[in-house]
Every structure is written in structure tokens, then in C-alpha cells.
Amino acid sequence: MVARTIGRLNRLRVPRLRANRLVIPRQVDDKSSKGTVLSASIGSSSEKSSRDRHGADDKQGEGSSWKAGFSKFVEGSATAFGSILVLGLAGYSYHLYYKAHVLRKMENAFAVGYSSVELAALSRHVDPASPHSELADRNFEDNDWVPRNEQSIIDGIVDGTIQGQYHLITGEKGTGKTSMLLRAMRRIGGEGVAMFEAHGDPEIFRVRLGKALDFEFHEDYIGSLFSFKGPRDTTALLDIERAFNKMEKIALKRKEQVGKPLVLIITGAHLVRNDEDGQDLLELIQQRAELWADSHLVTVVFVSDDYWTLERLMWQATRLRVTPVHDISRDTVLKALREFRAEKYSENVPTSILEQVYDKIGGRLSFLSRVAKSPDMIKTCNALCEREKLWLLSHYWILGKDLDPGGETQQDLSSAAMLLAKALVDKETAMRKNGTYDGRLPQIPIHEAREIMTNAEWIKEHDHYNIFTIDSDGMVQADSVAMQNAMREVCSREGFDAHLQATLDRLDEIESLQRTRELTLKDLREYGEYKATIHKDGDFSPTAIISLSRK
């Protein structure tokens, strides 16, 4: 049984050994050689098939690695392109949103209500029903009791009734120009109106304009997060131009919806410096104002106290309308003052007192507002006149014959101011003597005033410091009745004419000394002399030749 099992195992083991390896027997005969050749051929066939199989595997591996690299390249490119596309879409979407947001904010600045600038500086114009009603507890205007003839014109400008022009409201300080504009704004609730005060620095002017229009000049733009360069790297004038471009879009939309123009009020236009930068700024605004007035888009309103603003704007003006605002007439002042004192203090003021008040301070609205609320009106009038006199003397009093040469420039202005003041006082005296004085201040044409001062630019300096004023017709007068009284008092001082003449003589002497040149010859010996000979080409020749020779 065991032998039979071992035999079977041997029979099964022999073929498996032949299939796996080459077996070489010890004794070689014919039969075994055939078996050997067969076994070798079988082994060589197996190796060849194995090499073919490995070659095919190598080729297949090379193809699969190329496909894997290409697929990774495509995948990376798609990822990068998708990232760039998403970033670009995000940046472009933010850019569109920001532009719409800017226009929406600016449109809200012209909506019904008041901007933060107006609430801060003009709190008396707040609607009592607004959240800021606590700012409107006091009366709307301290001088609201005085009727003004110019109010109807300004109302038409602010509410958009008067179109096709831009305006310059000019007049002396304290005549009520800004007050009338604010009253007109209150009538319409500030709809379609933006107002701000000018400044001499263009950068501050830019900031105030942006606050009035609720425009940030792209300072809040975050497009740099998307690798977009912000547009803020520029100058103040370019920023103002961009703000006007945005406002123009709002004006076009408002014209389609409402049919009225926007109103942009610039108060204190005289604060812009009269230099190259200030003139460029005014020119930029005036160019836009001309265009907008022609197309009925925006009405620009300048408010100025000085004559140079009018002089500058008139140079290129075609649609400019000048609205002068001056002191109130005598009859209007007497009537309004009597009614105010009767209503507030139950006082029946005699006409003589009212006439004294007008003779001292005139119809200047800022002065009348103080005097009307004062218990002693005459005392307050005297205090105001004294203040004006001190203002005149502190700025332009003359120093006489002891003038130091270092103060020549300032004394040139002072002597010119006193010369013109004396001319105005003399003209008033002559009008009273001739019976032609009607209560109005004496005036001198601007060309005559410049002739008296001997310098064309000095009158602008005096106008800026509220000593004299120049109206829209080019007539020069004292800045107010109180200033005219101060000039009359100063010019009537004992010895004033001699003091003024001594100052003028000293100025001429200093100027002559500055033109004199001293020539010193040091090569002469004891008691040596030079002989000077003057040669001229002719009797009327402006050239003279001086030759020196030793005697």
C-alpha cells in the first residue's frame, strides 16, 4: 500500500520538474539526447516569451506615465484659470458695486434733508420733526425780523425756478448773504442743494466738497485687494474734477425725473487765494458752471465778500449773474427796528433814537441784530463804532516822520488807506455842504481810488481786510457806516494832515535813499582832488558820461 503511494508521487513529481527547469542526465544516449534537445527548446521559448512580455510592459508603462503628466498639467491649468476667473469676476463685481454705491451716496446727499456739514454749522435749519430737533429749539434767524428785497431772487435760485445761469452773490461782510441762502434752503427742506465753505488750500477745499457731496474720492476703495491700482494717486484739482463728473450723472438723472437742476452753493469764495493755484481752481469751477448753466443741469452759486472774485469771474463769464447784497435802506431799518422793540420789549422807541442808531451803524444786518437786542441801543452802537475804529488804527495807522526804513512796505499800505479815507471824508463834507447828501455813503470810482493810492493792487488788500469795499459797479466806499464814522473821527484829529504829510515825506526819503548809491575813491593822497566832466550826446540825450581826471 505504501509502495503504491510512493510510486504515484514519483510519477506526479517528474513532469513538474521538467516544466520548471532543465534536467541533464549523467549518461547521454540517443534517447536521452532527444529529450535534452526538447527540454532546451522549451526553456528558450519560455525566456523569449518572458522578454516579449517585459518589453510590452515597458511600453505600456511609458504611455501611462505621459498620460498621467498631461492630466496633471490640464488639471493645474484649469485650477489656475478658474482661480484667475473667480478673482477677476470678484474684482469686476466689486468695481461695479462701488461705482453704483458712490452714485447712490451722492444722490442721497441731494435728497430731502441736510448733510452733516449743514447740521454742524447751520443747526438752526433743522426740521423740528427730525432726529436732530434739539438743535432747532432756538429761533431760526436772529435777523429774520428784517425784510429783504433780495430774498425772492435767492429763493428762485435755490428752488430751481431760475435756471440757465450761475450766480455770484456779493456784498460786504454781515449783510445777510448766507442767511438768505439758508432761509431759502429751509423752505424746500434742502432738496437738491449742497453747500460748503471754500478754503484757500485746494486740499481742504477738496475735502469740504467731498463731505458736501458725500464723495470719498475713492479713498475707501479696496480694489487693491484684487490687484487693481486705486485712482487716488492724483492732485486736488483732479479729484474735484472727478467729483464733478459723478455729480453730473446725478444731475442728468434728476433732470429726467424732476426737471430741475441741482444747486451747488460755495460760500466764502473770497477765501480762495488770489494766486496761481486759486485762479486754476476758480477757472475749473467756472468752466463747469458755464456748461451746466447752458444745459440746465447744475446751478453753481458763489458767495463772496471781495471784489477780486468778481473781477476774476467776469473775465470769462457769459452766463454769470451778479446779485449784490448791500445794507438795508433807512426807512426799512427804522420800521423793522421799531416793530421788533415793540414786540420783544413792549417799548415804543422814539424816532430820534432810531435815527441816531441808523446814523451810527447804518443798515448793516449783523450790527442791527446786536443793537436790537441790547437794553441800551445807543451804547451798543458806540461800542461797535469804537471797535471799527480800533480795527482801522491797528491795521493802517501811519507812523509819521520817525518811520523806520524796515516798515516801508506796511506804511505804504497805511498811508494809501489814510489818503483814500481822507478823500471819502472830504467828499462827504462837500456833499453835506452842497445839500446833496442823502444818507448814503460817499463813493469814488475805482480808477480814481487807485490814482489816489498810486498803486492798483493796494485797494484789494484793503477790501480783503474790510476797510473799504468795492461794489459790482466798481465804486469804492467805506466798508460800513460805522467804518465811515471811524474814518471821519480819525481824519478830524488835530494835526492829522501834518502827520500824514510827514509820513509821506519820510516814505519818499526812504525810497530816495534806496535809489542813492555812494561812490568812494580811496587812492588820493593828501589834499588830492578829482575833476568830473559830464559829456552828453545832445541837449535832449538821456545818456550822460562822467569822466574823472586828477587835477
Side-chain angles (χ1 to χ4, degrees):
M1 188 70 172
V2 176
R4 190 182 302 119
T5 302
I6 292 173
R8 291 178 180 175
L9 290 174
N10 290 331
R11 286 194 298 269
L12 292 173
R13 188 180 297 121
V14 172
R16 185 170 58 191
L17 292 175
R18 290 177 180 175
N20 292 332
R21 61 182 178 177
L22 181 62
V23 180
I24 303 175
R26 289 182 181 177
Q27 296 181 358
V28 181
D29 52 9
D30 295 335
K31 294 181 179 180
S32 61
S33 63
K34 293 181 180 178
T36 301
V37 174
L38 180 60
S39 300
S41 63
I42 293 173
S44 61
S45 300
S46 300
E47 291 179 358
K48 184 177 180 181
S49 62
S50 177
R51 286 195 300 268
D52 295 338
R53 186 168 57 253
H54 284 302
D57 291 340
D58 292 340
K59 293 180 180 180
Q60 185 177 1
E62 292 177 358
S64 61
S65 63
W66 182 85
K67 291 180 180 179
F70 180 75
S71 63
K72 290 181 179 180
F73 171 76
V74 172
E75 181 181 357
S77 300
T79 303
F81 178 76
S83 301
I84 296 174
L85 181 62
V86 171
L87 184 64
L89 289 176
Y92 185 68
S93 301
Y94 170 75
H95 186 68
L96 293 179
Y97 161 76
Y98 181 81
K99 293 176 67 175
H101 179 64
V102 167
L103 294 177
R104 187 164 56 250
K105 287 173 56 180
M106 189 174 292
E107 186 176 4
N108 185 61
F110 288 97
V112 177
Y114 303 95
S115 65
S116 59
V117 177
E118 296 161 352
L119 289 176
L122 313 168
S123 56
R124 60 181 177 269
H125 293 270
V126 181
D127 193 321
S130 70
H132 305 278
S133 58
E134 69 277 2
L135 301 177
D137 290 339
R138 58 183 182 272
N139 293 334
F140 162 64
E141 269 294 343
D142 293 340
N143 50 24
D144 197 29
W145 49 276
V146 183
R148 303 303 303 268
N149 297 328
E150 302 89 352
Q151 187 64 55
S152 58
I153 299 175
I154 294 179
D155 288 344
I157 295 172
V158 174
D159 63 18
T161 304
I162 301 176
Q163 302 181 17
Q165 296 171 325
Y166 65 102
H167 303 267
L168 172 62
I169 300 177
T170 183
E172 301 84 2
K173 178 183 177 182
T175 53
K177 302 182 294 296
T178 304
S179 298
M180 287 189 288
L181 285 169
L182 300 177
R183 192 178 299 116
M185 288 178 59
R186 186 170 180 254
R187 286 181 59 254
I188 60 176
E191 182 184 6
V193 182
M195 182 176 66
F196 69 99
E197 187 173 11
H199 193 273
D201 190 343
E203 285 290 343
I204 299 179
F205 188 97
R206 175 190 73 86
V207 173
R208 292 183 178 180
L209 173 63
K211 196 163 182 81
L213 301 180
D214 201 5
F215 182 57
E216 299 292 339
F217 298 101
H218 297 90
E219 292 175 349
D220 57 346
Y221 185 77
I222 59 173
S224 57
L225 296 177
F226 306 101
S227 298
F228 295 160
K229 183 180 179 181
R232 177 59 191 96
D233 300 334
T234 179
T235 63
L237 290 182
L238 288 177
D239 273 346
I240 294 172
E241 179 72 12
R242 285 172 176 161
F244 286 161
N245 290 336
K246 296 294 183 181
M247 188 174 68
E248 197 172 72
K249 296 180 181 180
I250 303 300
L252 288 169
K253 183 177 179 181
R254 176 179 172 82
K255 184 178 180 181
E256 295 176 357
Q257 296 177 350
V258 183
K260 291 185 177 181
L262 298 176
V263 179
L264 180 64
I265 302 174
I266 305 175
T267 63
H270 59 279
L271 299 176
V272 177
R273 297 190 184 101
N274 190 14
D275 55 11
E276 184 177 355
D277 292 337
Q279 292 174 3
D280 290 343
L281 177 59
L282 278 182
E283 184 179 358
L284 168 65
I285 301 175
Q286 186 180 18
Q287 287 176 347
R288 286 303 185 111
E290 290 278 352
L291 176 63
W292 290 335
D294 187 25
S295 56
H296 295 201
L297 289 178
V298 181
T299 300
V300 180
V301 180
F302 297 94
V303 182
S304 176
D305 297 347
D306 291 353
Y307 178 75
W308 83 267
T309 310
L310 171 63
E311 196 174 45
R312 180 66 185 178
L313 292 177
M314 288 297 294
W315 175 42
Q316 295 181 344
T318 56
R319 295 182 175 272
L320 176 65
R321 176 177 177 179
V322 181
T323 304
V325 178
H326 299 301
D327 290 344
I328 307 171
S329 62
R330 173 185 287 268
D331 295 338
T332 304
V333 169
L334 298 183
K335 180 181 178 181
L337 192 57
R338 179 183 288 107
E339 293 177 353
F340 182 84
R341 298 290 292 191
E343 179 181 355
K344 296 295 183 181
Y345 299 98
S346 301
E347 179 184 1
N348 186 14
V349 183
T351 304
S352 60
I353 300 296
L354 297 178
E355 289 180 350
Q356 290 183 42
V357 169
Y358 188 85
D359 291 339
K360 289 180 178 294
I361 62 172
R364 183 60 50 88
L365 200 58
S366 59
F367 294 165
L368 288 173
S369 178
R370 300 178 187 180
V371 171
K373 298 179 181 180
S374 174
D376 189 345
M377 293 191 295
I378 301 299
K379 182 179 179 180
T380 304
C381 290
N382 293 333
L384 290 172
C385 292
E386 184 67 20
R387 191 188 68 176
E388 292 295 296
K389 184 179 71 173
L390 292 176
W391 177 262
L392 171 64
L393 296 178
S394 63
H395 282 77
Y396 296 112
W397 178 239
I398 49 180
L399 302 182
K401 64 180 180 179
D402 297 327
L403 169 64
D404 186 86
E408 180 188 6
T409 302
Q410 192 274 339
Q411 283 299 294
D412 281 335
L413 290 169
S414 298
S415 60
M418 290 302 164
L419 284 172
L420 185 57
K422 187 175 183 299
L424 290 172
V425 171
D426 292 342
K427 186 172 184 179
E428 180 187 13
T429 304
M431 292 170 63
R432 291 180 183 273
K433 184 180 296 186
N434 297 332
T436 58
Y437 183 74
D438 56 357
R440 293 181 293 181
L441 294 176
Q443 295 180 331
I444 295 177
I446 188 172
H447 67 279
E448 294 184 9
R450 286 171 171 168
E451 182 179 353
I452 294 173
M453 289 186 168
T454 69
N455 190 302
E457 296 298 324
W458 288 348
I459 187 63
K460 296 180 181 179
E461 181 81 11
H462 300 131
D463 181 25
H464 184 70
Y465 283 99
N466 302 321
I467 304 298
F468 305 104
T469 185
I470 310 171
D471 62 15
S472 57
D473 297 326
M475 301 298 293
V476 182
Q477 65 181 33
D479 185 74
S480 63
V481 173
M483 182 59 72
Q484 178 72 18
N485 294 333
M487 292 177 182
R488 187 187 310 112
E489 182 179 349
V490 170
C491 294
S492 62
R493 287 183 175 183
E494 183 179 356
F496 172 79
D497 293 341
H499 188 65
L500 176 59
Q501 187 60 44
T503 304
L504 295 175
D505 293 341
R506 176 58 178 165
L507 287 172
D508 292 339
E509 180 182 351
I510 294 174
E511 185 178 0
S512 176
L513 289 175
Q514 290 178 349
R515 294 177 178 176
T516 303
R517 296 295 179 266
E518 181 179 353
L519 180 63
T520 303
L521 304 176
K522 297 182 179 181
D523 60 343
L524 288 177
R525 296 181 180 180
E526 296 180 0
Y527 307 105
E529 294 181 356
Y530 276 109
K531 178 181 180 182
T533 305
I534 301 177
H535 303 276
K536 298 185 67 175
D537 295 338
D539 294 337
F540 300 99
S541 175
T543 304
I545 302 175
I546 302 177
S547 60
L548 299 176
S549 61
R550 182 176 297 181
K551 289 184 178 180

